[in-house]
Amino acid sequence: MPQVGFYRNYGKTYKKPRRPFEKERLDAELKLVGEYGLRNKRELWRVQVVLSKIRNAARTLLTLDDKDAKRIFEGQALMRRLYKYALLNETQDKLDYALALQPNDFLERRLQTLVFKQGLAKSIHHARVLIRQKHIRVGKQVVDVPSFMVRVDSQKHIDFALTSPFGGGRPGRVKRKNAASKSAGGGDDE
């Protein structure tokens, strides 16, 4: 019987730029990476691929007739998805607005950015560390993925995890150690 190895998805989630050394693009990418605290350019390229897929879908739908059933059905589905993640607001109800989306719009909806904007973290980099160390929850679920896209209805439920020292959980290792040494030291003085 043949042995089955690992089941694996071999689909790249990002696409490298065609021209690797374009000065303007490199500067713009570096600015975005710094502004949103991304780990590397690949995180930015991943967003650009998602954006290009949305733009592509919108562009193909715009070529169809206004009364076409496919355009109406798929167009509404696409717009609903963009509203759900607050990439567009309800007043922007045409497919043309989907074509005008920028990578910044996506990066603003990441959990890392929202944790920083809500004041739970001191900096954008601190926000990333808090998320990776499982201090942040969205609703009841602890999320440790900085690139998690936050929906509109979930945004108000971003908070510290219940098990986190920041959220009223058990104090951290250093604080416990200091408390233990203080109580032991305090016992010696008396």
Side-chain angles (χ1 to χ4, degrees):
M1 218 139 133
Q3 195 108 32
V4 176
F6 293 103
Y7 293 105
R8 195 100 185 250
N9 287 327
Y10 291 106
K12 283 174 81 170
T13 55
Y14 66 96
K15 190 167 175 249
K16 288 182 180 173
R18 281 208 188 101
R19 299 178 143 179
F21 303 112
E22 246 179 342
K23 179 111 175 72
E24 296 83 39
R25 185 188 48 76
L26 286 172
D27 292 342
E29 281 178 352
L30 196 62
K31 187 170 182 270
L32 282 175
V33 166
E35 189 181 340
Y36 291 101
L38 305 180
R39 183 172 55 136
N40 50 28
K41 300 264 181 89
R42 196 180 338 154
E43 288 195 331
L44 180 60
W45 297 338
R46 191 172 60 206
V47 167
Q48 287 171 340
V49 164
V50 171
L51 183 59
S52 75
K53 283 181 180 174
I54 288 172
R55 278 205 198 120
N56 218 354
R59 208 177 298 117
T60 52
L61 289 173
L62 281 168
T63 59
L64 301 173
D65 186 48
D66 284 344
K67 302 283 186 280
D68 192 335
K70 181 179 178 179
R71 176 173 170 166
I72 293 168
F73 184 73
E74 289 186 14
Q76 285 175 345
L78 179 66
M79 296 308 280
R80 203 169 32 247
R81 216 164 65 222
L82 297 176
Y83 296 147
K84 200 168 22 177
Y85 287 103
L87 296 167
L88 295 177
N89 57 33
E90 298 286 338
T91 58
Q92 299 171 317
D93 56 350
K94 290 197 170 57
L95 280 170
D96 298 316
Y97 291 110
L99 294 176
L101 285 172
Q102 295 294 320
N104 295 24
D105 302 326
F106 280 84
L107 295 171
E108 286 290 338
R109 297 303 305 164
R110 292 178 52 159
L111 181 61
Q112 180 181 356
T113 312
L114 291 173
V115 165
F116 171 57
K117 293 263 169 90
Q118 288 185 1
L120 296 175
K122 294 173 187 159
S123 73
I124 197 90
H125 305 292
H126 184 225
R128 190 180 185 96
V129 171
L130 287 177
I131 294 165
R132 283 302 297 157
Q133 294 177 353
K134 299 187 178 179
H135 290 296
I136 302 293
R137 68 187 162 108
V138 179
K140 291 181 180 153
Q141 184 70 49
V142 173
V143 181
D144 66 343
V145 181
S147 62
F148 178 82
M149 291 293 280
V150 181
R151 295 179 177 191
V152 180
D153 49 354
S154 307
Q155 186 169 346
K156 55 185 170 289
H157 300 297
I158 298 173
D159 201 9
F160 287 117
L162 299 172
T163 53
S164 162
F166 300 109
R170 179 174 164 216
R173 177 182 59 83
V174 175
K175 193 167 189 177
R176 285 197 312 264
K177 188 179 170 196
N178 291 342
S181 67
K182 231 182 234 171
S183 65
D188 292 343
D189 291 344
E190 292 179 42

